[in-house]
Amino acid sequence: MTRPVTSAERALTALRDLIMGGQLAPGARLGEVELADRLGVSRTPVREALSRLAAEGLVQVVPNRGARVATWTVAELEGVFDLRAVLEPRLTALAVPNVRPADVDELDALARQMLEVGSPGPGQDLDALVPLNRAFHDRLVALAGHPALAAALAAAIHPPIVRRNFLTYDEESLRRSLAHHGEIVAALSAGDPEWARAVMTSHIANARAVMVRAARLQTTATATPEEETA
Amino acid sequence: MTRPVTSAERALTALRDLIMGGQLAPGARLGEVELADRLGVSRTPVREALSRLAAEGLVQVVPNRGARVATWTVAELEGVFDLRAVLEPRLTALAVPNVRPADVDELDALARQMLEVGSPGPGQDLDALVPLNRAFHDRLVALAGHPALAAALAAAIHPPIVRRNFLTYDEESLRRSLAHHGEIVAALSAGDPEWARAVMTSHIANARAVMVRAARLQTTATATPEEETA
DNA sequence: CCTCGCTCGATTGCATGCAACGTAGGGGTG
DNA sequence: CACCCCTACGTTGCATGCAATCGAGCGAGG
């Protein structure tokens, strides 16, 4: 979207990417000076970024005790997907009347790209899926033209970090997920809100099953969320 | 809840109250030095507060051009109530199994107080309704035990500013609204999630009608959102 | 040996100073 | 007369310094 011009915004997006990308594990300490050095700015923009990330729910800040990457329980994760299961299908249905042919083409291109880099084989690149998936869903959010719903979704989704999604998908679930994207495009193209809603419902349910299973495994595997920074 | 201890938090809540209370009209300019003087702190905590309020959607910040109180259109306001109509009934139903007798008593007390200060007559004090109403709904949110839903709701509700709610209620709608609170308590006490959900749905629909009408009148009355600060 | 209190180091919170950007007004030119 | 540029002011963005707070480690007392 808009290129970050201020240092604070760069720090914000950089930190967000670092967290969403897994370089900063949940529970990891976020020292201001360390981050400032790492990002090549002073503490002020770092503080601002941390503040805003705290508002988004990605980090937890305790006064005089610093910031840590937010953690979440399996129950919270399930709650997030419950919510997505309510909001995203609605949003998708809302998008239908606003979709123009150019939008269909764009979404179709994204879906095809995801199919390309996501399909098993030599060209598989799961890391490339993350931005594509995000672009796809963001596009849908924009097409829905419903700022309040967008804000609610953003607030709900951020915490759980969607990143490990594609790294934890088993082959069958991933294939389903990729197929859903294409089917959503088809429903939009056909102008059928109920179809679109139904596919998105399936899409979220599928993702929910994968994520919850992965979270269960993770929490049982790593007893204590240690101070991993790298 | 937790008393704000840092200057930034005080500035945050002070600014939020100023905006929600109507002292800072939508579109009003928010100069850092002016606010700093007004709140008796330096610009740094003010900047932090503005940043977080921007993340909440209460103010809009444009780099190098300062912050203004966020404005919203009637369509956005309607969107917010659409969303509340989906989320709050669910939330209320979720709260039902978690409600303990003490909670019922507490909510009942709030509902009765609101009835007291809200009923027409010599003791009517509409300004007192705002914190009571907020306490009531916050209590419900807490009882639902669904952090993601709470976050989504908070993100969605903040922008439209609930304040003028009670100042714009006509007598009949206000009576209905106050009655709803009591009925919600009854539904919770009876342990009937469907009842609770239904009442909350009505509650939001009623509020929606009032707010949208008020917003229509307001926007047609004030052509341009002038630089009102007081 | 365990517990409590204290001091020191490290980190955060805030204020202030300086540089950069944006805006408004006036003068000059086409 | 209209338009453009250019200068000056006000404001924001960021860096840095200093005071306050927190936590760890150590020593004394029970």
Side-chain angles (χ1 to χ4, degrees):
Chain A
M1 304 288 179
T2 64
R3 268 272 152 250
V5 285
T6 71
S7 293
E9 283 177 16
R10 277 199 307 276
L12 180 66
T13 61
L15 265 180
R16 192 159 27 207
D17 290 349
L18 243 42
I19 296 174
M20 302 285 262
Q23 276 81 16
L24 261 42
R29 193 160 183 327
L30 298 171
E32 295 182 359
V33 287
E34 178 203 339
L35 292 175
D37 290 348
R38 192 163 175 173
L39 301 176
V41 295
S42 90
R43 283 173 46 217
T44 306
V46 171
R47 281 180 65 78
E48 183 168 340
L50 287 176
S51 222
R52 295 182 60 168
L53 287 174
E56 289 180 15
L58 265 183
V59 311
Q60 295 166 328
V61 176
V62 181
N64 289 321
R65 281 211 270 168
R68 310 186 84 90
V69 178
T71 60
W72 56 91
T73 66
V74 174
E76 287 171 335
L77 190 66
E78 289 183 309
V80 170
F81 275 91
D82 286 347
L83 206 57
R84 292 186 68 180
V86 175
L87 298 182
E88 296 216 40
R90 285 179 67 87
L91 180 138
T92 310
L94 281 173
V96 168
N98 302 330
V99 169
R100 304 178 140 273
D103 301 316
V104 173
D105 293 345
E106 196 177 329
L107 289 169
D108 190 53
L110 285 170
R112 286 182 194 283
Q113 283 180 57
M114 293 176 79
L115 204 58
E116 220 169 282
V117 301
S119 297
Q124 190 175 35
D125 178 7
L126 295 180
D127 283 330
L129 271 179
V130 180
L132 288 173
N133 185 59
R134 193 186 171 92
F136 188 89
H137 284 263
D138 283 353
R139 201 82 196 80
L140 279 180
V141 169
L143 283 171
H146 196 311
L149 210 165
L153 248 183
I157 287 186
H158 264 143
I161 302 181
V162 191
R163 180 240 180 186
R164 307 213 169 173
N165 242 352
F166 297 105
L167 307 183
T168 55
Y169 266 103
D170 60 289
E171 192 176 316
E172 190 180 349
S173 299
L174 179 57
R175 205 192 328 264
R176 268 201 292 270
S177 178
L178 297 176
H180 286 151
H181 290 136
E183 190 173 356
I184 287 169
V185 174
L188 292 176
S189 179
D192 186 337
E194 285 313 311
W195 184 11
R197 181 199 302 265
V199 181
M200 183 55 91
T201 302
S202 308
H203 188 56
I204 301 296
N206 185 50
R208 177 203 162 105
V210 174
M211 286 295 282
V212 168
R213 181 164 48 74
R216 285 233 170 75
L217 292 174
Q218 233 174 299
T219 50
T220 53
T222 67
T224 324
E226 289 302 328
E227 295 258 346
E228 313 166 32
T229 307
Chain B
M1 305 293 176
T2 64
R3 272 269 153 250
V5 286
T6 71
S7 293
E9 283 177 18
R10 276 199 306 276
L12 180 65
T13 61
L15 265 180
R16 194 162 23 210
D17 290 348
L18 243 42
I19 296 174
M20 302 286 265
Q23 276 81 18
L24 262 41
R29 188 162 159 42
L30 298 170
E32 295 181 359
V33 287
E34 178 201 339
L35 292 175
D37 291 348
R38 192 164 176 172
L39 301 176
V41 296
S42 90
R43 284 173 48 216
T44 306
V46 171
R47 281 181 64 79
E48 183 166 340
L50 287 175
S51 224
R52 296 181 60 167
L53 287 173
E56 290 180 15
L58 266 183
V59 311
Q60 295 167 329
V61 177
V62 181
N64 289 321
R65 279 211 273 172
R68 311 185 83 90
V69 179
T71 59
W72 56 91
T73 66
V74 174
E76 287 171 336
L77 190 66
E78 289 183 309
V80 170
F81 275 92
D82 286 347
L83 206 56
R84 291 187 67 181
V86 175
L87 297 182
E88 296 215 40
R90 286 179 67 87
L91 180 138
T92 311
L94 280 174
V96 168
N98 302 330
V99 169
R100 303 178 139 273
D103 301 317
V104 173
D105 293 343
E106 196 177 329
L107 288 169
D108 191 52
L110 285 170
R112 286 181 194 284
Q113 284 180 58
M114 293 176 79
L115 205 57
E116 220 169 282
V117 302
S119 297
Q124 190 176 36
D125 177 8
L126 295 180
D127 283 330
L129 271 180
V130 180
L132 288 173
N133 185 60
R134 193 184 171 93
F136 188 90
H137 284 264
D138 284 352
R139 200 82 198 80
L140 279 180
V141 170
L143 283 171
H146 196 311
L149 209 164
L153 248 183
I157 286 187
H158 264 143
I161 301 182
V162 191
R163 181 241 178 187
R164 308 212 169 173
N165 242 353
F166 297 106
L167 308 182
T168 55
Y169 266 103
D170 60 288
E171 193 176 315
E172 190 181 347
S173 299
L174 179 58
R175 204 191 329 265
R176 268 202 292 270
S177 179
L178 296 176
H180 286 152
H181 290 136
E183 190 173 355
I184 287 169
V185 175
L188 293 176
S189 178
D192 186 337
E194 285 313 313
W195 185 10
R197 182 199 302 264
V199 181
M200 183 55 91
T201 302
S202 308
H203 188 57
I204 301 296
N206 185 49
R208 177 204 162 105
V210 173
M211 286 294 282
V212 168
R213 181 164 48 74
R216 284 235 171 75
L217 292 174
Q218 233 173 300
T219 51
T220 53
T222 67
T224 324
E226 288 301 329
E227 295 258 345
E228 314 167 30
T229 309

